[in-house]
């Protein structure tokens, strides 16, 4: 039927042995058309078992070594040692034959065919390696390769590697053991007491089926192959890899298996484009991180150099590397996800996590070995591109480097800090919600290393932090009592830290005065020269940008709190010069700051109040706010402020300004004018439901009018004017008469 679903992935139904991917003129593999989910089953129905050579393999007939392998037919049917090969099927189909024999009660025949398939794989790899010797120098100079195998054996619908492994492992079980299932993912791995059973028909090297199981698994897991299409196929790839690695985890790595492990690891490193561990790999190749972590752990007790070589080679994730444009091209490098001709990598996040786990395993193991630690660090910095994962690595390394009851590992601590610094640089322009946590952690890590690390971080702050991060987190943490206590034995170091923090604060205040001025002043409090410099920066930046009034008021209140009222007054006047409060903005956030500034001026004396009044008149058009200022300034100043006034400004000492006398009379005139203009503005578009609110507004206006000597007369004239101008609003004017006459 036309609507039959298609099989996901780049898996062929035909092809001899290992399917080599056909290449287009651009070197990109050509993907075969996808088949329906039934195509493989229908194809299997066409398989026949009467091939003469297949029958010889199943019956255990072998060719005598050397003498009988003469004709070309024999060379295709036997290897140079006279062992039978099987090239009659595509590799996954040959493995499916093995599985069919095993599950239908022919275990010996299944073993014979499985051994022939493995011998075929070995011979093909031998030929590949011989051909590779001619190409190796060319590949290394080119720096890239085409894909030799589009079809992966891990995650394949027929599970060829799993079939061969389970066939060999089941034959290696003691008689009282049942068949070995795939271990549960994430479950605890139980070692199985497999036996070294000889290969049927004998083997020149005396190898066992258990050795074959390990060899096949390593060959399959290390195969370089393209990432398959589709979410399901990619998820299956991951699960299949974990299942086979889980099977290998049940093996007890004795001497014979370790020999296989070391030999196969070396072959994988030298495997060129046929191996996922080759010097050069195709950009869309399936990464080797999970497999490499298994190899690293398994090889470490026996050959640590080989273990690190394998793990470091596998750290690559080329799909995330930028694409280098051709020489002379105008095209800018783009992320490969945008330029790739292959389908989307749905499991990319999972792969990056596995890459991080591999790196973490190497860092933890290399503790105490500076050579390997620096080599691993270089690999991490080159290949890991996710800030979140780099940060996790840095945290893990720091934790490993500082065990509770042992001295810290200085090299690993410095590597942890270096990774943290890289994360800071990567996320500086694209801030994440975790930045604050990252910055705090970085300072704590540098603290573990020592004062020089903290000083270095502060001196290079502009490449790592925003100005507000540097002042409010970094400098504060570096000079906190807890941090300084760690260096209590060295006063010189303490002073150097504090001096560096003050220098950082001043630099940040110059770069972002609105955000950093107050933290800078706080940090510089104990050093007169630095404090004066910070104060001057605030003055110089008084008119910088929107919202300047807010930070100026904040700093002014801080100055008053420190007992510097004249400096507070200076800053308050600068803030008023940068402020505008409209006629209807009686809930403006700066209203409380304006009232505070006027109270401060009132407390300092008549001269200061006279300075503030014109600024308020210019900045504030809101009538209720102006009338509130007049009332507050008509009262006696607060006790503490009065004392300050007497000490610092004897002019006007002991006097209480009157609303009808200078300087408040100007403010009163402005307030009355604001009430008149606001009243006319509100009446232009007033609706009946706002009449009550308007009457209350007029009552407040009357209270302000009455502060003037002839206020009664002015307010009466104002009402008469309203009644005449808005006589059409009869109901409203009736309410006015009822309230005010």
């Amino acid at each position: 039927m036309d609507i039959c679903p298609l099989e996901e992935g780049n898996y062929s139904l035909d092809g001899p042995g290992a399917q080599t991917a056909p290449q287009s003129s651009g070197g990109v593999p050509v993907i075969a058309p996808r088949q329906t989910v039934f195509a493989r089953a229908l194809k299997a129905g066409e398989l026949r078992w009467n091939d003469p050579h297949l029958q010889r393999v199943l019956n255990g007939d072998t060719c005598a070594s050397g003498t009988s392998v003469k004709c070309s037919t024999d060379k295709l049917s036997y290897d140079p040692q006279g062992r039978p090969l099987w090239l009659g099927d595509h590799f996954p189909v040959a493995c499916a034959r093995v599985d069919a024999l095993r599950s239908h009660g022919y275990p010996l025949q299944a073993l014979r065919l499985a051994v022939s398939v493995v011998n075929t794989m070995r011979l093909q790899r031998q030929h590949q390696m011989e051909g590779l010797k001619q190409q190796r120098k060319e590949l290394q100079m080119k720096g890239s390769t085409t894909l030799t195998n589009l079809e992966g054996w891990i995650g394949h619908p027929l599970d060829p590697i799993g079939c061969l492994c389970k066939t060999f492992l089941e034959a290696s079980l003691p008689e009282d053991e049942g068949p070995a299932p795939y271990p549960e993912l994430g479950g605890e791995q139980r070692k199985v007491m497999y036996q070294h059973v000889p290969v049927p028909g004998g083997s020149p090297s005396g190898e066992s089926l258990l050795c074959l199981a390990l060899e096949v698994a390593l060959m399959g897991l290390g195969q370089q192959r393209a990432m398959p299409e589709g979410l399901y196929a990619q998820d299956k790839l991951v699960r299949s890899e974990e299942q086979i690695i889980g099977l290998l985890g049940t093996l007890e790595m004795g001497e014979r298996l370790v020999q296989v492990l070391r030999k196969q690891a070396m072959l994988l490193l030298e495997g060129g484009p046929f191996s996922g561990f080759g010097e050069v790999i195709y950009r869309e190749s399936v990464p080797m991180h999970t497999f490499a972590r298994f190899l690293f752990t398994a090889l470490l007790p026996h050959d640590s150099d080989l273990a690190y070589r394998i793990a470091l080679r596998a750290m690559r994730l080329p799909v995330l590397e930028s694409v280098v444009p051709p020489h002379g091209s105008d095209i800018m490098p783009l992320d490969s996800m945008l330029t790739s001709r292959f389908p989307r990598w749905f499991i990319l996040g999972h792969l990056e996590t596995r890459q991080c786990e591999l790196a973490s395993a190497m860092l933890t193991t290399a503790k105490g070995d500076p050579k390997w630690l620096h080599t691993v660090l270089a690999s991490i910095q080159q290949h890991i591109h996710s800030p979140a994962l780099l940060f996790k690595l840095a945290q893990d390394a720091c934790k490993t480097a500082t065990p509770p009851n042992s001295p810290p590992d200085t090299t690993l601590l410095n590597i942890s800090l270096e990774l943290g610094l890289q994360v800071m640089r990567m996320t500086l322009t694209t801030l994440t919600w975790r930045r604050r946590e990252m910055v705090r952690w970085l300072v704590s890590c540098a603290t573990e290393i020592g004062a020089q690390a903290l000083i270095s971080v502060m001196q290079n702050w502009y490449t790592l932090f925003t100005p507000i991060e540097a002042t409010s987190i970094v400098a504060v943490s570096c000079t906190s009592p807890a941090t300084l206590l760690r260096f209590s034995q060295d006063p010189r170091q303490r002073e150097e830290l504090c001096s560096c923090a003050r220098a950082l604060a001043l630099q940040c205040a110059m770069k972002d005065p609105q955000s950093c001025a107050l933290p800078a002043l706080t940090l510089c409090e104990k050093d007169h020269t630095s404090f004066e410099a910070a104060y001057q920066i605030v003055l110089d930046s008084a008119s910088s940008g929107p919202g300047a009034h807010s930070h100026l008021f904040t700093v002014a209140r801080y100055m008053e709190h420190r007992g510097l009222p004249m400096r507070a007054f200076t800053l308050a006047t600068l803030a008023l010069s940068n402020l505008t409060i409209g006629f209807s903005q009686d809930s403006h956030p700066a209203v409380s700051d304006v009232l505070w500034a006027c109270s401060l001026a009132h407390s300092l004396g008549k001269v200061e109040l006279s300075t503030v009044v014109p600024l308020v008149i210019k900045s504030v058009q809101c009538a209720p706010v102006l009338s509130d200022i007049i009332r507050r300034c008509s009262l006696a100043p607060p006790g503490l402020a009065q004392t300050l006034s007497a000490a610092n400004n004897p002019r006007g000492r002991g006097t209480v300004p009157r609303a009808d006398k200078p300087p408040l009379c100007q403010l009163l005139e402005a307030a009355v004018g604001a009430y008149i203009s606001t009243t006319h503005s509100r009446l232009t578009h007033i609706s009946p439901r706002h009449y009550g609110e308007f009457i209350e507004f007029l009552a407040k206006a009357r209270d302000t009018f009455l502060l003037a000597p002839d206020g009664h007369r002015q307010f009466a004239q104002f009402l008469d004017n309203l009644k005449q101008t808005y006589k059409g609003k009869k109901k409203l004017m009736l309410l006015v008469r009822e309230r005010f006459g």
Side-chain angles (χ1 to χ4, degrees), residues 612-624:
V612 160
V613 165
L615 296 173
V616 171
I617 292 171
K618 185 179 177 183
S619 300
V620 182
Q621 285 85 48
C622 183

Side-chain angles (χ1 to χ4, degrees), residues 27 31 357 481 556 624 698:
I31 300 174
E357 289 171 355
L698 278 185

